[in-house]
Each structure stands twice: as C-alpha cells, then as structure tokens.
Amino acid sequence: MPVSLGFLAQRPPGWLGVAALGLAAVVLGAVAWRRAGPRRRRRLQQVGTVAKLWIYPVKSCKGVAVSEAECTALGLRSGDLRDRFWLVIKEDGHMVTARQEPRLVLVSITYENNRLIFRAPDVDQLVLPTKQPSSNKLYDCRIFGLDIKGRDCGNEAAQWFTNFLKTEAYRLVQFETNMKGRTSKKLLAPINWNYQVAYPDYSPLLVMTDASLVDLNTRMEKKVKMENFRPNIVVTGCDAFEEDTWDELLIGSVEVKRVMACSRCILTTVDPDSGIIDRKEPLDTLKRFQQPGGIDWDLNNSGNSTSANPYYPAFNYLYPGEES
C-alpha cells in the first residue's frame, strides 16, 4: 500500500536520497518495537531502499522526479520546489483536482532558475516565478470542507489553465509558509496527532512500494502505473504489502510513525498518459482483495457526498517530536 506520512514542525529537517540514481544508498528500516519510554533502545530491521523521489508542485498535475529532497514539516522540498504548494481553484475558491478535471494529470512541470515551467498538450508553455508578489490577491480556498488561504498567481496563469481545460474560468494559487495549514485534528478527527498540511489530501508524504504495484497488476487485465497513485517515495526490496506491518520507519536520518490507514479515491482511475478517467479500475480490483480492518470513508468525485473506498497499502505517518 502507499504510505502517507505526517511531519511535526519542531524537528530539524532531514534529507532523503535516491539509491537508484547513484547516490549513497538510503536504507528504509522499520523500527521493530513500540515506544514504551524515551530511554528504551530501538531495534531496527531493514525492510527496503528508497528507489524514487517525487515532488508534486501542483495538486493533481504531474510530479517532478528529484534525486534528493529535504523533509520539512509540510512535506518534501527541493529548493523552492515544494510538494502540493500550488492549487487550481474555481473563482469561488473551491479546489479543482483530477477528480473533476482529469486532464490536469497531463500538465507537466519543470523547475529551472527559481521558475516553474508548465507544459500541456496544444497550449504554449507557461513560465511562473516560484514566489508571487505580496500585492497579489489572497483567496479563501476550500479543500474537502476546510478553509485555507492561497496567493493568486496572476492572470496569465489563470488564463493558461482556463484555456487548457476549456470548461470554466480557473485560478492558480500558491501556499506560503506563513499561512496556516489545514490541521490534522480537523482532517483526521478523532485521531490525536498534531501537524499541518498545505494542499495535500491528508498528510505531507505518500510512500508506496513497487512490489505492491507489481502484485496488483497481476490481478488486473489492464495494468496501472505508479503514477496512478502519485507517491512521493517509492520503496524497493520488500515483499508485496509488507508495508502493512510497518509502524515506525527510519529513512536515513528521518524517523516517521504511522498514524492511520489511508483509502484510495477515484483519482487513481485517471490514466496518467491520456487524462481519461475510467471510474472503475484499479478500485474495483482493490475492493476485491485489499480491505484490511474494514472500509475507510472519503469524498467521492462529486465533492459533496461520501462513498466507501478500498485501502491500497497506504498508511499515514507522523514525524516524531511533539505529539498531542
């Protein structure tokens, strides 16, 4: 399953590197004991290595592969490139994702000289500075029923997304670190963790193993890609669904703790190559074999009702530190 991870702010940031890209190997280890006290010695069991790192600057758009990333309280960072710090919204502030506009997954992003360069089929590229003027309008945005601010990225960016999607007028907004994020207590109540996120669904980091994807594809006629699940970290060298047993992890110098299982929504049925939404697979296959501990609940693609979603080896994790 993918693994969602949350990070608490009052810890020094850590760095992750990709072993597959020729950097020093980063061992992903599961802590084999539950914490009973601060002085208890920790025992580690190696469970795999980090194979890929991805940052998704704009929610629902393509990810940017990086060779190393800094772990911050709000997720992965590489220079000014931050994970899910940009968001497409309607003019009334409501979020727009690939659940409503599947072709968002066709928007690719590169990062050059403190600029984001957007490319998509049949439109000219858009070049956007990673920092917006403080004079730009602040929008009150709405994500899964929770309010959060966003700095408008200007008329050129708004027109670019409007022209590409061709359905209605859209704006692009950016989260700034001085803004208040959506809190875990509101996102995951009654689970008692304390962290914030910008524009991700529930937590700052998503981890997935390649073995679980391979296993899933053996059960399906039409194969899916890792991009269907949009992980930040891809782990190799473990068995399929072994991540179900991981409670605490050590990745290099970064420690994370599991919070809860995570469910998958209709966005996983969007083909990352065509931008066409299937609405069935891989969810139908997942429902047949992956439902540990029952059913989680999440908003479906309509955005105003709920539907039962299957788990896909996914768990929310917390960056150890201050807990409440």
Side-chain angles (χ1 to χ4, degrees):
M1 294 183 163
V3 184
S4 290
L5 300 126
F7 297 92
L8 285 176
Q10 296 181 5
R11 295 279 296 200
W15 286 83
L16 302 178
V18 182
L21 296 181
L23 302 178
V26 177
V27 174
L28 180 67
V31 178
W33 55 276
R34 289 186 174 273
R35 188 176 310 196
R39 296 183 180 179
R40 182 168 179 176
R41 184 178 180 181
R42 287 179 284 188
R43 298 171 56 193
L44 302 177
Q45 176 186 354
Q46 181 178 336
V47 295
T49 56
V50 174
K52 294 180 181 177
L53 294 172
W54 293 87
I55 292 177
Y56 301 85
V58 182
K59 190 174 181 69
S60 283
C61 295
K62 289 185 182 295
V64 178
V66 296
S67 59
E68 63 178 17
E70 180 185 357
C71 290
T72 77
L74 291 169
L76 295 187
R77 173 182 180 178
S78 179
D80 287 334
L81 197 65
R82 305 292 296 258
D83 190 70
R84 295 171 174 92
F85 259 46
W86 287 263
L87 175 72
V88 178
I89 61 170
K90 297 182 179 182
E91 291 194 324
D92 64 3
H94 280 83
M95 75 169 181
V96 178
T97 72
R99 300 170 181 89
Q100 300 85 28
E101 292 284 3
R103 294 178 73 243
L104 276 174
V105 303
L106 302 181
V107 177
S108 65
I109 301 164
T110 54
Y111 174 58
E112 299 176 9
N113 301 321
N114 299 318
R115 301 179 304 169
L116 299 180
I117 301 175
F118 296 78
R119 295 180 176 89
D122 303 320
V123 293
D124 293 333
Q125 71 179 28
L126 168 70
V127 180
L128 185 72
T130 55
K131 295 183 180 179
Q132 299 302 312
S134 59
S135 57
N136 282 18
K137 178 179 178 180
L138 273 182
Y139 273 87
D140 293 317
C141 306
R142 193 79 169 167
I143 300 179
F144 295 125
L146 295 179
D147 295 324
I148 189 170
K149 298 289 186 180
R151 179 78 64 186
D152 185 62
C153 292
N155 291 332
E156 184 181 1
Q159 193 62 53
W160 191 88
F161 277 95
T162 299
N163 290 345
F164 172 62
L165 295 172
K166 295 184 174 67
T167 52
E168 60 178 286
Y170 293 121
R171 309 293 301 186
L172 181 69
V173 297
Q174 179 180 1
F175 184 82
E176 297 172 347
T177 54
N178 62 341
M179 296 175 180
K180 181 176 176 58
R182 292 146 58 236
T183 65
S184 56
K185 291 186 176 180
K186 292 183 178 179
L187 289 167
L188 304 172
I191 292 177
N192 197 28
W193 301 113
N194 184 21
Y195 62 87
Q196 296 184 17
V197 294
Y199 302 142
D201 283 3
Y202 295 113
S203 57
L205 195 60
L206 187 70
V207 178
M208 183 168 174
T209 68
D210 56 2
S212 296
L213 178 65
V214 170
D215 185 282
L216 172 63
N217 276 329
T218 64
R219 306 167 191 265
M220 299 180 56
E221 181 177 347
K222 182 181 179 181
K223 312 305 182 186
V224 292
K225 295 183 175 182
M226 193 68 73
E227 287 87 343
N228 286 76
F229 300 98
R230 305 175 62 79
N232 295 109
I233 298 178
V234 178
V235 179
T236 189
C238 58
D239 293 334
F241 313 118
E242 184 181 335
E243 58 269 43
D244 292 6
T245 66
W246 299 346
D247 289 325
E248 293 182 331
L249 302 174
L250 177 65
I251 308 175
S253 61
V254 177
E255 298 179 42
V256 290
K257 180 186 292 186
R258 185 171 68 181
V259 173
M260 62 174 291
C262 181
S263 64
R264 301 318 309 239
C265 70
I266 200 168
L267 196 149
T268 60
T269 74
V270 177
D271 188 317
D273 297 322
S274 68
I276 296 174
I277 190 167
D278 175 78
R279 299 184 184 277
K280 294 183 178 180
E281 293 293 358
L283 293 182
D284 286 355
T285 299
L286 291 171
K287 288 175 183 177
R288 290 196 294 269
F289 82 99
Q290 265 295 326
Q291 294 192 6
I295 295 292
D296 196 14
W297 292 82
D298 198 1
L299 291 176
N300 67 9
N301 62 304
S302 69
N304 56 17
S305 62
T306 58
S307 61
N309 291 335
Y311 292 118
Y312 184 69
F315 296 94
N316 291 287
Y317 276 72
L318 183 72
Y319 194 38
E322 299 291 332
E323 299 172 13
S324 62

